Amino acid sequence: MAFDTQEPLPVMRPAVREAYGPANLSGEPIFAGGFINFGYWRGINLNAPLSETDRIRSQQDLYRHVWDAVAPMEQLRLLEVGCGLGMGCALALRERRPAEVTGMDIHSAQLSRAQEAHAALLEQVPGRLRFVQGAAELMPFADAEFDVVVSVEATQHFPDLEAFAAETARVLRPGGRVAIASFFTAGGDAPSQGRALSQLLDTFANGLDIARPVTALTDALTASGLSGVRVESLGPQVWAGWDAWLSRLCAPDSWSRNFLKAYERRILDYYLITAQRR
């Protein structure tokens, strides 16, 4: 195996194994450029016909917004939890010049694709980019190994946010920073919102995404000893653009068009969460 691995790993939930293995979400037309996120659409004209270039830019801009929250990263050690095909890792190397970038994912198929997609870059920057198999709840790294930890649109899959937060705090050096972008229920009664999301969106119905309030993560980060936990809603920059892009590819009555509906009904929102290790 070309990437580092740790055994044993926690059992992967079946919906996650399927979506990022045989189904290969990164190959779906709704995503583009090897990224798998909804995008950050500020600065993109949603009233004009959207191109694949716009779509790729939206996904890159989501990473850039996350990195801006922990800037600067030059000459620091960066870990991305749930790196997928490693497109964010490669973009970080090009634009933010960290000393080292580690992409970690639980799915071996994703890591194999990442190794293949970035084979040339791995040769060009020996020692500065690596891909490692590991779980968010059990990271195969030493204490205080990283200066920055980021996770972009992966936390909605993690079954144990408390363990993820504890591991994040453990692998961060004192003074290190974390930034997480993902979608959560938007306040209110989580069980009833979870039921509503299961009726609207197949990814919640089949267990790929887990319905939880953003406070489940912020409380876990605080309990892990991280400080300065902050939350920013990215809903206005995410949902309208995501739906505008979907409108090119999906019928108006398709379940995927219900993300915007869930946001408008205040059931779901997209957040950026940041914190720092004391």
Side-chain angles (χ1 to χ4, degrees), residues 167-209:
E167 282 292 87
T168 297
R170 182 184 66 79
V171 302
L172 272 175
R173 66 162 175 80
R177 305 180 302 280
V178 57
I180 300 159
S182 191
F183 47 95
F184 296 85
T185 58
D189 178 53
S192 66
Q193 290 181 322
R195 290 190 292 272
L197 287 171
S198 293
Q199 293 171 357
L200 286 169
L201 296 163
D202 284 5
T203 54
F204 285 94
N206 66 21
L208 177 62
D209 298 326

Side-chain angles (χ1 to χ4, degrees), residues 42-60:
R42 175 175 285 173
I44 298 174
N45 184 3
L46 303 183
N47 296 315
L50 294 172
S51 67
E52 185 175 278
T53 299
D54 293 323
R55 178 68 181 113
I56 294 172
R57 175 188 161 186
S58 78
Q59 295 178 100
Q60 293 175 332

